[in-house]
Amino acid sequence: MTESLFRGLGIRDDDTDADSDATPFPILWEPARIPHSPLLRPGTLRVGTLGPDGTTSMVALARLGYRLAHLGGPVVEPVPYDSFEELLAAVGGRGGPAYALVPAAAECATRFFWSPRLRLDATFSTPTPEYGIATPPPGLHEGVLRLATLHETRRLVELLDGAEGGRGGYDIAWVPAESTIHAAQLVAEGRADAAVTNEPGRAAHRLEFQVSRPGVPMVWMVFGPAVLVRSEGVRQSLGS
């Protein structure tokens, strides 16, 4: 069971000043972890997620960092990784960050739940940036279209239905990308004709959205160190 962080701290939701907090999205925590959670202590907290700057994950991490600072918590130090698989291998290990930020939509999210080194410490929801299919000028050309995208965002090829001539005018050749920023980079380098990317990726590589859609609310999960403590009653019932 989870509850509002504000209620967990003894602060009513209606006591908060929306004008002083630019990220009024809910953060949900496991109540038993609140008093001792490093997520609420001053200092520096290293949190790994999918990078580099401009990915939707890094945008979400910046919003989380703002909220934690607003609550008197730590300064978040982002630790970017090229893939969530690399993050999973590093988090909680020597030299790696203690915490990981993972979107619920990530294909490998289930593996973070089952890692013996990790446990879910917090969840929150915040909208993604605008997403779309971006190209350099002058735009899309019918025929073979080398489309760079993450596996998770392949379905956004449906946006081409709103382009002139519809999706039927294109023969899609998929170009795998590690992130939205990487997808846009592949286009900028001439290794793809178009990218499924977000607004920061489009802007960073000076592309133009040919078709796009608004961002969507996304659930994000913060995984921290596993705490394996059994109560005396559990030990007795197990005969230990």
Side-chain angles (χ1 to χ4, degrees), residues 143-196:
V144 175
L145 181 68
R146 297 174 300 162
L147 184 60
T149 180
L150 288 162
H151 178 78
E152 289 88 342
T153 56
R154 270 194 176 200
R155 288 294 299 272
L156 290 181
V157 69
E158 295 173 355
L159 289 173
L160 287 175
D161 293 337
E164 185 176 353
R167 201 186 334 175
Y170 304 97
D171 183 11
I172 305 298
W174 301 105
V175 180
E178 295 293 338
S179 67
T180 50
I181 294 293
H182 184 223
Q185 178 184 338
L186 291 171
V187 174
E189 293 173 349
R191 296 160 62 188
D193 303 310
V196 177

Side-chain angles (χ1 to χ4, degrees), residues 18-235:
D19 292 336
S20 65
D21 186 353
T23 57
F25 51 86
I27 297 181
L28 306 179
W29 308 74
E30 295 184 24
R33 296 280 284 172
I34 289 173
H36 308 291
S37 175
L39 294 171
L40 299 178
R41 295 188 204 133
T44 300
L45 189 71
R46 299 176 72 231
V47 182
T49 196
L50 183 68
D53 285 343
T55 63
T56 301
S57 296
M58 290 289 275
V59 171
L61 182 55
R63 292 173 180 170
L64 176 63
Y66 180 93
R67 173 55 65 87
L68 293 178
H70 178 72
L71 295 171
V75 173
V76 171
E77 178 185 332
V79 184
Y81 286 85
D82 290 337
S83 69
F84 285 113
E85 287 76 11
E86 290 184 17
L87 171 60
L88 180 60
V91 65
R94 182 175 298 179
Y99 284 79
L101 177 67
V102 182
E107 191 174 32
C108 66
T110 301
R111 295 174 59 194
F112 285 81
F113 282 102
W114 292 109
S115 169
R117 303 189 313 275
L118 304 173
R119 61 164 283 161
L120 180 67
D121 264 356
T123 66
F124 65 92
S125 173
T126 188
T128 70
E130 179 183 6
Y131 267 71
I133 296 177
T135 71
L140 294 165
H141 299 281
E142 290 191 348
V144 175
L145 181 68
R146 297 174 300 162
L147 184 60
T149 180
L150 288 162
H151 178 78
E152 289 88 342
T153 56
R154 270 194 176 200
R155 288 294 299 272
L156 290 181
V157 69
E158 295 173 355
L159 289 173
L160 287 175
D161 293 337
E164 185 176 353
R167 201 186 334 175
Y170 304 97
D171 183 11
I172 305 298
W174 301 105
V175 180
E178 295 293 338
S179 67
T180 50
I181 294 293
H182 184 223
Q185 178 184 338
L186 291 171
V187 174
E189 293 173 349
R191 296 160 62 188
D193 303 310
V196 177
T197 190
N198 61 8
E199 170 56 24
R202 181 209 65 76
H205 292 283
R206 301 180 179 180
L207 306 178
E208 297 177 354
F209 278 140
Q210 304 305 315
V211 284
S212 67
R213 59 152 299 154
V216 298
M218 180 67 65
V219 173
W220 298 83
M221 303 175 293
V222 182
F223 290 92
V227 179
L228 302 177
V229 179
R230 290 178 177 174
S231 67
E232 187 62 31
V234 172
R235 291 193 186 95

